[in-house]
Amino acid sequence: MFTEDDLLSISALQHLLFCERQCALIHIEHVWEENRLTVEGKNMHERVHEQSSESRPNVRIVRGLRLRSLRLGLVGVADVVEFHGTTNKSKISDLKSLGQPFPVEYKRGKPKTDHSDTVQLCAQALCLEEMMECAIPNGALFYGTIRRRLDVSFDDELRALTRRTAFRLHELIDAGVTPPAEYSPKCENCSLLNLCMPKQVSAHKSVSDYLRSAI
């Protein structure tokens, strides 16, 4: 069980699965740089969060819901959580009264070949299960490029992967060591390409050390 001081961002799970070095640069060395892809993604999330919560027949839609799990040591914000089977008497201040939760995460691009998006969504579900003391069998990922959402089943395999990823995230951050750079084609789409410098930085030098020596 983790404490409040141990909590790490749910979004860091996606960084970790994309690239452990990227995750360390962001969450250990605290470096960041925007590119077109990150700006488009941020704009999409802001538009989603700016919309007010709403109710439809038997469904309450809550945006920007704060999430937390002391079991996984994670904290974050859900883009959208649909509560199914809700009633007019349900109050957002009492989550357990809202009905069956169904988390929906918004992504600007298209479905990925790795598990970074599904693990991030599953982590949101695990947080909600802990907060609400309930079981959440599935959720959905909405992709801006294809303009539709894909259902995700939170099966035992995905849950186990999500827990392993959360614990690996804590190991990485606690160690405080940025992994060496290893160039691959996916580096070209990373907003940290010019800071990471995978083709220039040696395996034993951090970005911070490289920049200091260069200056």
Side-chain angles (χ1 to χ4, degrees), residues 31-204:
V31 298
W32 178 251
E33 189 169 277
E34 300 278 12
N35 65 7
R36 178 182 60 83
L37 301 180
T38 61
V39 170
E40 289 177 356
K42 183 172 70 174
N43 290 341
M44 170 179 275
H45 286 288
E46 289 176 350
R47 288 195 300 271
V48 172
H49 291 180
E50 285 173 357
Q51 299 177 55
S52 60
S53 298
E54 59 183 288
S55 295
R56 299 174 184 171
N58 298 317
V59 179
R60 174 72 63 85
I61 299 174
V62 179
R63 306 176 192 277
L65 180 65
R66 295 282 299 175
L67 303 175
R68 186 195 70 169
S69 170
L70 294 180
R71 292 172 186 163
L72 297 178
L74 297 174
V75 66
V77 177
D79 284 339
V80 171
V81 181
E82 298 176 355
F83 292 91
H84 295 255
T86 188
T87 67
N88 292 332
K89 296 181 180 180
S90 301
K91 297 180 180 179
I92 295 179
S93 58
D94 181 11
L95 288 180
K96 294 181 181 180
S97 74
L98 291 179
Q100 177 63 38
F102 184 91
V104 182
E105 175 71 10
Y106 281 67
K107 299 295 181 184
R108 60 152 297 280
K110 56 185 178 180
K112 297 180 176 64
T113 56
D114 61 27
H115 296 287
S116 57
D117 289 347
T118 53
V119 161
Q120 183 180 2
L121 182 67
C122 185
Q124 294 179 11
L126 294 176
C127 288
L128 283 165
E129 287 184 340
E130 184 176 326
M131 293 165 60
M132 299 181 62
E133 299 178 347
C134 68
I136 303 175
N138 45 46
L141 290 162
F142 177 88
Y143 288 97
T145 297
I146 62 175
R147 300 299 302 171
R148 65 187 180 92
R149 69 187 199 180
L150 305 178
D151 287 341
V152 176
S153 175
F154 304 131
D155 57 25
D156 291 342
E157 183 178 356
L158 179 56
R159 288 169 179 268
L161 175 59
T162 302
R163 293 188 182 98
R164 290 197 304 270
T165 304
F167 297 144
R168 172 56 189 153
L169 175 63
H170 280 276
E171 289 177 350
L172 178 69
I173 301 304
D174 290 344
V177 177
T178 300
E182 294 184 12
Y183 179 80
S184 70
K186 69 181 180 181
C187 294
E188 297 300 326
N189 288 325
C190 178
S191 69
L192 301 186
L193 177 63
N194 293 329
L195 296 172
C196 174
M197 297 174 288
K199 294 181 179 180
Q200 294 90 356
V201 178
S202 69
H204 303 291

